[in-house]
Amino acid sequence: MKTTAQAAATPKTPPIYQVALIIRPDSPQLSSACLEIIATFERAGIGVYVEETSARALQIPRKFVRSIDEILHSAQALVSLGGDGTLISAVHKSIGSGLPVFGINMGRLGFLTAIKPEELSDFIPLLLQGDYILDSHRLLEGMICSKNMANDDFASLDFAQKPATPFYALNEIFITKKDISGMLRIHAKVEGKPFNTYRVDGLIIATPTGSSAYNISAGGSVVHPTCQVMLLTPVCAHSLTQRPMVLSDDMVLAFEVGEDAMIMLDGQDRIEFGIDDMLVVRKSLNVQLIQHPKRDYFAVLEEKFSWGGCK
């Protein structure tokens, strides 16, 4: 329990008066719901922008439409309208801006989203009064380097110099086969030292946030989002000895493949991964998700995944 002095020292989250909607693409069926959500924000005195690529198919009035660059300079928060995939897309758009994100669940699962559409009117006063909470979620950062560039010396590999364009993932970086047939060999290193060769259909490198995404379907551990770890979970391993593994997120990981492969970022973006490449992965910056102050992680696990199964 916090003392009075501790409570006074805790910075209050700022009131939010301007938001930007990020809407699931190619979803014209969300048009009426989107317009109602805009109206609900406006009635409460919160200004609303809609990201222009989201607005095209939804007949959103032009006065609300802004480019993503304008939004990142003017909004105080990004609001995703859809499921977890739309929220992840909003997180990717927010990287580097410091803007928090929250989701209004219009999808099926909505594990990371904050509220349902019918709960918005009750949630808005929390935004206006700064009575919401900010959950911090660690991203993974990856880069494709040449094998010669890395030189097996991870202590001196400087991500800040960006020898290649970095990419980011909230849930997972997934190494998978380029072709349907065959098996993928993935040579893994920790801090430059070889520690495993996976013979698999794929390998998930997941954050604690992503432990309840693809990772859980592949038999990986569920990890509380505040834990400072990375998860390695093989998919369809061709050996009984290949098991899920949890490592400190202070470690730098590297992967090479024995045949051309693909990298999937949060199930949304693809990157070519060839036999002359090395994938280097480490922890990166944090992003903030806005949640209700009464949100209970374990209650959400029970609701979304029937966690425990005892009832």
mmCIF file of all heavy atoms in Angstrom, residues 20-23 49-54 56 62 64-75 77-79 89-95 97 99 101:
data_model
loop_
_atom_site.group_PDB
_atom_site.id
_atom_site.type_symbol
_atom_site.label_atom_id
_atom_site.label_comp_id
_atom_site.label_asym_id
_atom_site.label_seq_id
_atom_site.Cartn_x
_atom_site.Cartn_y
_atom_site.Cartn_z
ATOM 1 N N ALA A 20 -6.710 10.787 -31.720
ATOM 2 C CA ALA A 20 -6.735 10.442 -33.146
ATOM 3 C C ALA A 20 -7.152 8.992 -33.289
ATOM 4 O O ALA A 20 -6.619 8.114 -32.591
ATOM 5 C CB ALA A 20 -5.373 10.671 -33.782
ATOM 6 N N LEU A 21 -8.102 8.740 -34.175
ATOM 7 C CA LEU A 21 -8.603 7.383 -34.398
ATOM 8 C C LEU A 21 -7.791 6.687 -35.480
ATOM 9 O O LEU A 21 -7.564 7.233 -36.561
ATOM 10 C CB LEU A 21 -10.070 7.409 -34.819
ATOM 11 C CG LEU A 21 -11.097 7.920 -33.805
ATOM 12 C CD1 LEU A 21 -12.498 7.723 -34.365
ATOM 13 C CD2 LEU A 21 -10.965 7.222 -32.461
ATOM 14 N N ILE A 22 -7.363 5.463 -35.158
ATOM 15 C CA ILE A 22 -6.744 4.562 -36.129
ATOM 16 C C ILE A 22 -7.720 3.402 -36.298
ATOM 17 O O ILE A 22 -8.026 2.699 -35.330
ATOM 18 C CB ILE A 22 -5.379 4.036 -35.651
ATOM 19 C CG1 ILE A 22 -4.472 5.193 -35.209
ATOM 20 C CG2 ILE A 22 -4.737 3.171 -36.720
ATOM 21 C CD1 ILE A 22 -4.082 6.135 -36.325
ATOM 22 N N ILE A 23 -8.226 3.205 -37.512
ATOM 23 C CA ILE A 23 -9.325 2.270 -37.732
ATOM 24 C C ILE A 23 -8.845 1.094 -38.568
ATOM 25 O O ILE A 23 -7.984 1.255 -39.444
ATOM 26 C CB ILE A 23 -10.507 2.978 -38.436
ATOM 27 C CG1 ILE A 23 -10.905 4.216 -37.618
ATOM 28 C CG2 ILE A 23 -11.702 2.039 -38.582
ATOM 29 C CD1 ILE A 23 -11.789 5.172 -38.374
ATOM 30 N N TYR A 49 -9.315 13.529 -34.415
ATOM 31 C CA TYR A 49 -8.808 13.400 -35.773
ATOM 32 C C TYR A 49 -8.979 11.949 -36.204
ATOM 33 O O TYR A 49 -9.036 11.046 -35.372
ATOM 34 C CB TYR A 49 -7.325 13.753 -35.864
ATOM 35 C CG TYR A 49 -6.966 15.167 -35.465
ATOM 36 C CD1 TYR A 49 -5.840 15.414 -34.693
ATOM 37 C CD2 TYR A 49 -7.733 16.251 -35.882
ATOM 38 C CE1 TYR A 49 -5.481 16.713 -34.335
ATOM 39 C CE2 TYR A 49 -7.392 17.543 -35.523
ATOM 40 C CZ TYR A 49 -6.259 17.766 -34.747
ATOM 41 O OH TYR A 49 -5.921 19.044 -34.400
ATOM 42 N N VAL A 50 -9.023 11.734 -37.515
ATOM 43 C CA VAL A 50 -9.029 10.378 -38.063
ATOM 44 C C VAL A 50 -7.879 10.278 -39.053
ATOM 45 O O VAL A 50 -7.753 11.132 -39.944
ATOM 46 C CB VAL A 50 -10.366 10.040 -38.761
ATOM 47 C CG1 VAL A 50 -10.329 8.607 -39.294
ATOM 48 C CG2 VAL A 50 -11.535 10.209 -37.788
ATOM 49 N N GLU A 51 -7.058 9.279 -38.889
ATOM 50 C CA GLU A 51 -5.902 9.084 -39.775
ATOM 51 C C GLU A 51 -6.399 8.861 -41.202
ATOM 52 O O GLU A 51 -7.327 8.097 -41.441
ATOM 53 C CB GLU A 51 -5.074 7.904 -39.267
ATOM 54 C CG GLU A 51 -3.671 7.850 -39.811
ATOM 55 C CD GLU A 51 -3.552 6.853 -40.942
ATOM 56 O OE1 GLU A 51 -4.336 5.891 -40.951
ATOM 57 O OE2 GLU A 51 -2.686 7.031 -41.815
ATOM 58 N N GLU A 52 -5.793 9.542 -42.169
ATOM 59 C CA GLU A 52 -6.363 9.643 -43.507
ATOM 60 C C GLU A 52 -6.512 8.304 -44.215
ATOM 61 O O GLU A 52 -7.496 8.088 -44.928
ATOM 62 C CB GLU A 52 -5.543 10.596 -44.372
ATOM 63 C CG GLU A 52 -4.091 10.231 -44.556
ATOM 64 C CD GLU A 52 -3.333 11.294 -45.341
ATOM 65 O OE1 GLU A 52 -3.973 12.247 -45.831
ATOM 66 O OE2 GLU A 52 -2.096 11.174 -45.451
ATOM 67 N N THR A 53 -5.562 7.368 -44.028
ATOM 68 C CA THR A 53 -5.706 6.080 -44.702
ATOM 69 C C THR A 53 -6.864 5.284 -44.110
ATOM 70 O O THR A 53 -7.462 4.458 -44.787
ATOM 71 C CB THR A 53 -4.405 5.258 -44.606
ATOM 72 O OG1 THR A 53 -4.062 5.076 -43.229
ATOM 73 C CG2 THR A 53 -3.270 5.959 -45.323
ATOM 74 N N SER A 54 -7.180 5.539 -42.835
ATOM 75 C CA SER A 54 -8.322 4.874 -42.206
ATOM 76 C C SER A 54 -9.643 5.463 -42.670
ATOM 77 O O SER A 54 -10.664 4.785 -42.699
ATOM 78 C CB SER A 54 -8.232 4.992 -40.679
ATOM 79 O OG SER A 54 -7.047 4.434 -40.170
ATOM 80 N N ARG A 56 -10.586 6.786 -45.613
ATOM 81 C CA ARG A 56 -10.964 6.771 -47.027
ATOM 82 C C ARG A 56 -12.247 6.012 -47.302
ATOM 83 O O ARG A 56 -13.120 6.478 -48.044
ATOM 84 C CB ARG A 56 -9.824 6.184 -47.856
ATOM 85 C CG ARG A 56 -8.623 7.122 -47.982
ATOM 86 C CD ARG A 56 -7.449 6.445 -48.636
ATOM 87 N NE ARG A 56 -6.256 7.303 -48.624
ATOM 88 C CZ ARG A 56 -5.036 6.860 -48.831
ATOM 89 N NH1 ARG A 56 -4.819 5.573 -49.069
ATOM 90 N NH2 ARG A 56 -4.013 7.694 -48.799
ATOM 91 N N ARG A 62 -14.423 15.559 -43.962
ATOM 92 C CA ARG A 62 -13.051 15.997 -44.209
ATOM 93 C C ARG A 62 -12.447 16.761 -43.034
ATOM 94 O O ARG A 62 -11.232 16.714 -42.804
ATOM 95 C CB ARG A 62 -13.027 16.873 -45.469
ATOM 96 C CG ARG A 62 -11.640 17.316 -45.898
ATOM 97 C CD ARG A 62 -10.779 16.145 -46.314
ATOM 98 N NE ARG A 62 -9.352 16.482 -46.255
ATOM 99 C CZ ARG A 62 -8.379 15.603 -46.423
ATOM 100 N NH1 ARG A 62 -8.672 14.335 -46.644
ATOM 101 N NH2 ARG A 62 -7.124 15.973 -46.342
ATOM 102 N N PHE A 64 -12.297 16.152 -40.045
ATOM 103 C CA PHE A 64 -11.648 15.296 -39.043
ATOM 104 C C PHE A 64 -10.373 14.636 -39.556
ATOM 105 O O PHE A 64 -9.604 14.082 -38.773
ATOM 106 C CB PHE A 64 -12.608 14.191 -38.586
ATOM 107 C CG PHE A 64 -13.847 14.688 -37.904
ATOM 108 C CD1 PHE A 64 -15.092 14.546 -38.506
ATOM 109 C CD2 PHE A 64 -13.772 15.290 -36.658
ATOM 110 C CE1 PHE A 64 -16.242 15.005 -37.884
ATOM 111 C CE2 PHE A 64 -14.920 15.751 -36.027
ATOM 112 C CZ PHE A 64 -16.154 15.613 -36.635
ATOM 113 N N VAL A 65 -10.159 14.674 -40.862
ATOM 114 C CA VAL A 65 -9.106 13.841 -41.468
ATOM 115 C C VAL A 65 -7.759 14.554 -41.415
ATOM 116 O O VAL A 65 -7.642 15.734 -41.763
ATOM 117 C CB VAL A 65 -9.475 13.490 -42.922
ATOM 118 C CG1 VAL A 65 -8.378 12.627 -43.550
ATOM 119 C CG2 VAL A 65 -10.821 12.771 -42.963
ATOM 120 N N ARG A 66 -6.735 13.815 -40.956
ATOM 121 C CA ARG A 66 -5.372 14.345 -40.885
ATOM 122 C C ARG A 66 -4.378 13.271 -41.328
ATOM 123 O O ARG A 66 -4.658 12.063 -41.220
ATOM 124 C CB ARG A 66 -5.015 14.760 -39.448
ATOM 125 C CG ARG A 66 -5.858 15.870 -38.869
ATOM 126 C CD ARG A 66 -5.552 17.207 -39.510
ATOM 127 N NE ARG A 66 -6.232 18.299 -38.824
ATOM 128 C CZ ARG A 66 -7.503 18.646 -38.990
ATOM 129 N NH1 ARG A 66 -8.259 17.957 -39.852
ATOM 130 N NH2 ARG A 66 -8.019 19.665 -38.324
ATOM 131 N N SER A 67 -3.221 13.693 -41.786
ATOM 132 C CA SER A 67 -2.148 12.755 -42.096
ATOM 133 C C SER A 67 -1.550 12.236 -40.791
ATOM 134 O O SER A 67 -1.711 12.855 -39.726
ATOM 135 C CB SER A 67 -1.060 13.437 -42.921
ATOM 136 O OG SER A 67 -0.355 14.375 -42.122
ATOM 137 N N ILE A 68 -0.834 11.121 -40.879
ATOM 138 C CA ILE A 68 -0.236 10.554 -39.673
ATOM 139 C C ILE A 68 0.790 11.509 -39.086
ATOM 140 O O ILE A 68 0.922 11.623 -37.855
ATOM 141 C CB ILE A 68 0.377 9.157 -39.948
ATOM 142 C CG1 ILE A 68 0.813 8.500 -38.626
ATOM 143 C CG2 ILE A 68 1.512 9.250 -40.934
ATOM 144 C CD1 ILE A 68 -0.298 8.224 -37.657
ATOM 145 N N ASP A 69 1.506 12.260 -39.917
ATOM 146 C CA ASP A 69 2.490 13.223 -39.407
ATOM 147 C C ASP A 69 1.807 14.331 -38.620
ATOM 148 O O ASP A 69 2.283 14.740 -37.544
ATOM 149 C CB ASP A 69 3.300 13.823 -40.560
ATOM 150 C CG ASP A 69 4.286 12.825 -41.155
ATOM 151 O OD1 ASP A 69 4.632 11.855 -40.451
ATOM 152 O OD2 ASP A 69 4.695 13.010 -42.313
ATOM 153 N N GLU A 70 0.682 14.831 -39.132
ATOM 154 C CA GLU A 70 -0.067 15.863 -38.411
ATOM 155 C C GLU A 70 -0.586 15.331 -37.084
ATOM 156 O O GLU A 70 -0.540 16.018 -36.055
ATOM 157 C CB GLU A 70 -1.231 16.360 -39.269
ATOM 158 C CG GLU A 70 -0.833 17.152 -40.489
ATOM 159 C CD GLU A 70 -2.038 17.526 -41.327
ATOM 160 O OE1 GLU A 70 -2.680 16.625 -41.902
ATOM 161 O OE2 GLU A 70 -2.337 18.733 -41.401
ATOM 162 N N ILE A 71 -1.070 14.101 -37.106
ATOM 163 C CA ILE A 71 -1.614 13.489 -35.897
ATOM 164 C C ILE A 71 -0.535 13.351 -34.817
ATOM 165 O O ILE A 71 -0.757 13.664 -33.641
ATOM 166 C CB ILE A 71 -2.223 12.115 -36.237
ATOM 167 C CG1 ILE A 71 -3.602 12.301 -36.888
ATOM 168 C CG2 ILE A 71 -2.333 11.224 -34.995
ATOM 169 C CD1 ILE A 71 -4.186 11.043 -37.462
ATOM 170 N N LEU A 72 0.644 12.880 -35.197
ATOM 171 C CA LEU A 72 1.705 12.648 -34.216
ATOM 172 C C LEU A 72 2.184 13.950 -33.575
ATOM 173 O O LEU A 72 2.741 13.930 -32.471
ATOM 174 C CB LEU A 72 2.880 11.915 -34.871
ATOM 175 C CG LEU A 72 2.584 10.488 -35.357
ATOM 176 C CD1 LEU A 72 3.827 9.870 -35.988
ATOM 177 C CD2 LEU A 72 2.070 9.601 -34.231
ATOM 178 N N HIS A 73 1.944 15.092 -34.244
ATOM 179 C CA HIS A 73 2.336 16.374 -33.681
ATOM 180 C C HIS A 73 1.208 17.053 -32.903
ATOM 181 O O HIS A 73 1.469 17.960 -32.103
ATOM 182 C CB HIS A 73 2.814 17.319 -34.800
ATOM 183 C CG HIS A 73 4.191 17.028 -35.290
ATOM 184 N ND1 HIS A 73 4.440 16.194 -36.358
ATOM 185 C CD2 HIS A 73 5.405 17.436 -34.837
ATOM 186 C CE1 HIS A 73 5.752 16.109 -36.558
ATOM 187 N NE2 HIS A 73 6.349 16.839 -35.656
ATOM 188 N N SER A 74 -0.042 16.623 -33.115
ATOM 189 C CA SER A 74 -1.176 17.352 -32.545
ATOM 190 C C SER A 74 -1.990 16.569 -31.529
ATOM 191 O O SER A 74 -2.553 17.163 -30.607
ATOM 192 C CB SER A 74 -2.116 17.820 -33.673
ATOM 193 O OG SER A 74 -1.423 18.615 -34.613
ATOM 194 N N ALA A 75 -2.091 15.253 -31.699
ATOM 195 C CA ALA A 75 -2.924 14.456 -30.797
ATOM 196 C C ALA A 75 -2.192 14.176 -29.481
ATOM 197 O O ALA A 75 -0.965 14.254 -29.405
ATOM 198 C CB ALA A 75 -3.315 13.149 -31.469
ATOM 199 N N ALA A 77 -3.197 11.269 -27.785
ATOM 200 C CA ALA A 77 -3.294 9.807 -27.694
ATOM 201 C C ALA A 77 -3.839 9.272 -29.005
ATOM 202 O O ALA A 77 -4.596 9.961 -29.710
ATOM 203 C CB ALA A 77 -4.209 9.382 -26.537
ATOM 204 N N LEU A 78 -3.445 8.050 -29.337
ATOM 205 C CA LEU A 78 -4.009 7.340 -30.478
ATOM 206 C C LEU A 78 -5.041 6.345 -29.960
ATOM 207 O O LEU A 78 -4.815 5.659 -28.960
ATOM 208 C CB LEU A 78 -2.922 6.590 -31.255
ATOM 209 C CG LEU A 78 -1.780 7.421 -31.836
ATOM 210 C CD1 LEU A 78 -0.875 6.535 -32.690
ATOM 211 C CD2 LEU A 78 -2.300 8.590 -32.657
ATOM 212 N N VAL A 79 -6.169 6.265 -30.652
ATOM 213 C CA VAL A 79 -7.252 5.361 -30.273
ATOM 214 C C VAL A 79 -7.487 4.395 -31.426
ATOM 215 O O VAL A 79 -7.833 4.830 -32.534
ATOM 216 C CB VAL A 79 -8.550 6.131 -29.954
ATOM 217 C CG1 VAL A 79 -9.645 5.166 -29.523
ATOM 218 C CG2 VAL A 79 -8.298 7.184 -28.884
ATOM 219 N N SER A 89 -1.146 -2.057 -34.883
ATOM 220 C CA SER A 89 -0.854 -1.143 -35.981
ATOM 221 C C SER A 89 -0.725 0.289 -35.467
ATOM 222 O O SER A 89 0.172 1.037 -35.896
ATOM 223 C CB SER A 89 -1.946 -1.228 -37.043
ATOM 224 O OG SER A 89 -1.712 -0.326 -38.096
ATOM 225 N N ALA A 90 -1.596 0.685 -34.537
ATOM 226 C CA ALA A 90 -1.516 2.026 -33.952
ATOM 227 C C ALA A 90 -0.222 2.193 -33.163
ATOM 228 O O ALA A 90 0.410 3.251 -33.207
ATOM 229 C CB ALA A 90 -2.726 2.278 -33.059
ATOM 230 N N VAL A 91 0.185 1.146 -32.433
ATOM 231 C CA VAL A 91 1.450 1.197 -31.691
ATOM 232 C C VAL A 91 2.613 1.413 -32.650
ATOM 233 O O VAL A 91 3.505 2.235 -32.398
ATOM 234 C CB VAL A 91 1.647 -0.083 -30.860
ATOM 235 C CG1 VAL A 91 3.085 -0.196 -30.358
ATOM 236 C CG2 VAL A 91 0.686 -0.105 -29.676
ATOM 237 N N HIS A 92 2.616 0.689 -33.773
ATOM 238 C CA HIS A 92 3.691 0.849 -34.749
ATOM 239 C C HIS A 92 3.737 2.282 -35.291
ATOM 240 O O HIS A 92 4.818 2.837 -35.504
ATOM 241 C CB HIS A 92 3.508 -0.139 -35.899
ATOM 242 C CG HIS A 92 3.912 -1.534 -35.555
ATOM 243 N ND1 HIS A 92 4.502 -2.390 -36.463
ATOM 244 C CD2 HIS A 92 3.835 -2.240 -34.396
ATOM 245 C CE1 HIS A 92 4.757 -3.557 -35.888
ATOM 246 N NE2 HIS A 92 4.341 -3.481 -34.632
ATOM 247 N N LYS A 93 2.568 2.875 -35.515
ATOM 248 C CA LYS A 93 2.529 4.256 -36.001
ATOM 249 C C LYS A 93 3.039 5.232 -34.936
ATOM 250 O O LYS A 93 3.568 6.301 -35.260
ATOM 251 C CB LYS A 93 1.103 4.628 -36.404
ATOM 252 C CG LYS A 93 0.563 3.886 -37.616
ATOM 253 C CD LYS A 93 -0.892 4.242 -37.885
ATOM 254 C CE LYS A 93 -1.506 3.370 -38.977
ATOM 255 N NZ LYS A 93 -0.925 3.606 -40.294
ATOM 256 N N SER A 94 2.883 4.876 -33.668
ATOM 257 C CA SER A 94 3.232 5.795 -32.573
ATOM 258 C C SER A 94 4.709 5.770 -32.221
ATOM 259 O O SER A 94 5.178 6.652 -31.485
ATOM 260 C CB SER A 94 2.422 5.444 -31.319
ATOM 261 O OG SER A 94 2.960 4.291 -30.655
ATOM 262 N N ILE A 95 5.465 4.793 -32.696
ATOM 263 C CA ILE A 95 6.861 4.613 -32.266
ATOM 264 C C ILE A 95 7.672 5.875 -32.538
ATOM 265 O O ILE A 95 7.663 6.418 -33.636
ATOM 266 C CB ILE A 95 7.484 3.398 -32.980
ATOM 267 C CG1 ILE A 95 6.857 2.097 -32.458
ATOM 268 C CG2 ILE A 95 9.004 3.355 -32.763
ATOM 269 C CD1 ILE A 95 7.286 0.860 -33.197
ATOM 270 N N SER A 97 7.090 8.748 -31.133
ATOM 271 C CA SER A 97 6.316 9.950 -30.819
ATOM 272 C C SER A 97 6.068 10.119 -29.333
ATOM 273 O O SER A 97 5.813 11.233 -28.858
ATOM 274 C CB SER A 97 4.960 9.910 -31.543
ATOM 275 O OG SER A 97 4.105 8.933 -30.951
ATOM 276 N N LEU A 99 3.442 9.044 -27.926
ATOM 277 C CA LEU A 99 1.994 9.081 -27.707
ATOM 278 C C LEU A 99 1.503 7.754 -27.131
ATOM 279 O O LEU A 99 1.861 6.685 -27.641
ATOM 280 C CB LEU A 99 1.256 9.353 -29.020
ATOM 281 C CG LEU A 99 1.391 10.742 -29.633
ATOM 282 C CD1 LEU A 99 0.570 10.823 -30.908
ATOM 283 C CD2 LEU A 99 0.960 11.814 -28.649
ATOM 284 N N VAL A 101 -1.440 4.856 -26.412
ATOM 285 C CA VAL A 101 -2.437 4.240 -27.292
ATOM 286 C C VAL A 101 -3.464 3.527 -26.436
ATOM 287 O O VAL A 101 -3.125 2.926 -25.410
ATOM 288 C CB VAL A 101 -1.765 3.222 -28.250
ATOM 289 C CG1 VAL A 101 -2.806 2.553 -29.147
ATOM 290 C CG2 VAL A 101 -0.683 3.891 -29.090
#
